[in-house]
């Protein structure tokens, strides 16, 4: 019913831990916001999803991808917060990406697809997740261009004004994230040769952008250390999955 993964310093092992770390951070944020009994459903399902994926429980990927957004819709109806159903659509993309990107990168046998289809799906899902993370799920764009960003999770919405140093950091992070996406698309998706650049170099630059985004939340919005852990987990997903996926692809081609 489950498989305990090997824990070592290999990229594959660190990638699995990064995947688990993502769900642990989501669970921690749920605990922080918990005010009633029903609020504890969120951290419980996040921990359950993360552990089931980490332990390779059968059908855990499809269960997490579809189950978590469905639970969000049900909770939204129960709590009379219908906007939660809207966010469930984005959560479908986030959880689906977190569930499938590591498996596609590692060539998980339970996927039951050939290597060519696996790497193609990895490229598509990775690109979609990276673009959405940079442009939709971060505050880098408004922080870099306008010097402000908003916290939509607060009621009323809170707007934060950046000082010049913080805006410079936002601009550098946004630029690195965009360049990282372009490098991955060029080298990984389209197969272009960009000097010594490899797809995982693009992933590392995207990760730098995520760290800049987390810095803004911690330094400007004073959200706490969990944002750093989020950036650490995200860097594992973006950097290590690209590294592992194309290593596997090179091995397959050489064979």
């Amino acid at each position: 019913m489950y498989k305990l993964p090997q824990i070592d310093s290999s990229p594959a092992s660190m990638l699995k831990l990064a995947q688990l770390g993502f769900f642990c951070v989501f669970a921690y944020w749920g605990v922080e916001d918990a005010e009633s009994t029903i609020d504890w459903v969120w951290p419980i399902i996040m921990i359950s999803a993360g552990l089931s994926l980490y332990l390779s429980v059968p059908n855990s990927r499809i269960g997490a991808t579809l189950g978590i957004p469905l639970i969000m819709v049900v909770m939204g109806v129960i709590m009379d917060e219908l906007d939660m159903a809207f966010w469930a659509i984005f959560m479908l993309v986030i959880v689906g990406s977190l569930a499938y990107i590591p498996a596609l990168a590692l060539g998980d046998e339970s996927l039951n697809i050939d290597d060519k289809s696996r790497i193609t799906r990895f490229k598509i899902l990775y690109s979609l997740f990276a673009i959405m993370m940079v442009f939709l799920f971060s505050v880098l764009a408004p922080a870099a261009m306008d010097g402000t960003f908003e916290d939509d999770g607060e009621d009323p919405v809170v707007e934060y004004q950046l000082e010049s140093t913080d805006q410079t950091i936002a601009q550098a992070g946004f630029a690195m994230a965009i360049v990282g996406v372009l490098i991955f698309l060029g080298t990984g998706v389209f197969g272009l040769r960009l000097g010594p650049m490899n797809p995982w170099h693009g992933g590392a630059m995207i990760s730098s952008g995520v760290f800049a985004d987390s810095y803004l939340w911690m330094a400007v919005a004073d959200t706490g250390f969990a944002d750093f852990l989020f950036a650490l987990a995200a860097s594992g997903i973006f950097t290590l999955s690209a590294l592992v996926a194309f290593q596997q692809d090179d091995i397959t081609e050489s064979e």
Side-chain angles (χ1 to χ4, degrees):
M1 292 299 295
Y2 68 92
K3 176 183 177 182
L4 187 64
Q6 182 178 349
I7 300 177
D8 52 35
S9 59
S10 67
S13 178
M14 293 296 102
L15 177 57
K16 292 285 290 183
L17 287 173
Q19 181 187 49
L20 176 61
F22 237 115
F23 286 93
C24 288
V25 172
F26 283 144
Y28 177 81
W29 282 334
V31 171
E32 278 192 324
D33 295 336
E35 297 178 351
S36 60
T37 302
I38 195 171
D39 291 335
W40 286 92
V41 172
W42 178 255
I44 290 172
I45 62 173
M46 281 297 165
I47 286 292
S48 300
L51 286 175
S52 64
L53 290 167
Y54 185 70
L55 298 174
S56 300
V57 174
N59 301 313
S60 57
R61 287 189 294 273
I62 189 67
T65 301
L66 298 180
I68 291 176
L70 180 60
I71 291 173
M72 288 180 66
V73 172
V74 173
M75 288 179 62
V77 173
I78 293 174
M79 300 169 65
D80 196 25
E81 296 181 4
L82 298 182
D83 60 326
M84 191 177 291
F86 171 78
W87 287 108
I89 298 174
F90 291 97
M91 208 63 192
L92 178 68
V93 177
I94 295 175
V95 176
S97 300
L98 294 176
Y100 281 93
I101 284 177
L104 291 167
L106 294 167
D108 194 309
E109 295 179 356
S110 64
L111 292 170
N112 293 322
I113 55 176
D114 61 86
D115 284 321
K116 184 177 180 180
S117 298
R118 174 182 64 82
I119 201 67
T120 298
R121 295 182 188 183
F122 171 80
K123 293 174 182 178
I124 294 172
L125 190 57
Y126 184 104
S127 300
L128 175 64
F129 186 50
I131 291 171
M132 294 188 73
M133 181 65 75
V134 173
F135 293 100
L136 295 180
F137 302 146
S138 80
V139 297
L140 287 176
M145 293 185 287
D146 303 327
T148 62
F149 68 90
E150 296 179 346
D151 187 351
D152 297 329
E154 297 292 334
D155 188 19
V157 174
V158 178
E159 182 177 272
Y160 296 99
Q161 186 74 39
L162 275 65
E163 296 181 357
S164 58
T165 301
D166 292 330
Q167 186 173 5
T168 301
I169 292 173
Q171 291 169 343
F174 191 44
M176 292 187 70
I178 292 176
V179 172
V181 170
L182 294 175
I183 289 174
F184 180 83
L185 291 175
T187 59
V189 177
F190 299 110
L192 302 177
R193 292 188 177 275
L194 302 176
M197 291 293 180
N198 291 313
W200 74 266
H201 292 133
M205 296 188 74
I206 296 170
S207 300
S208 298
V210 177
F211 269 104
D213 177 75
S214 295
Y215 164 80
L216 295 176
W217 283 106
M218 293 174 63
V220 180
D222 193 24
T223 53
F225 73 97
D227 282 279
F228 173 78
L229 300 179
F230 174 85
L232 194 63
S235 67
I237 296 293
F238 284 120
T239 306
L240 295 176
S241 66
L243 175 64
V244 171
F246 288 95
Q247 278 183 342
Q248 297 280 356
D249 193 37
D250 291 340
I251 292 172
T252 301
E253 290 179 357
S254 65
E255 291 177 350

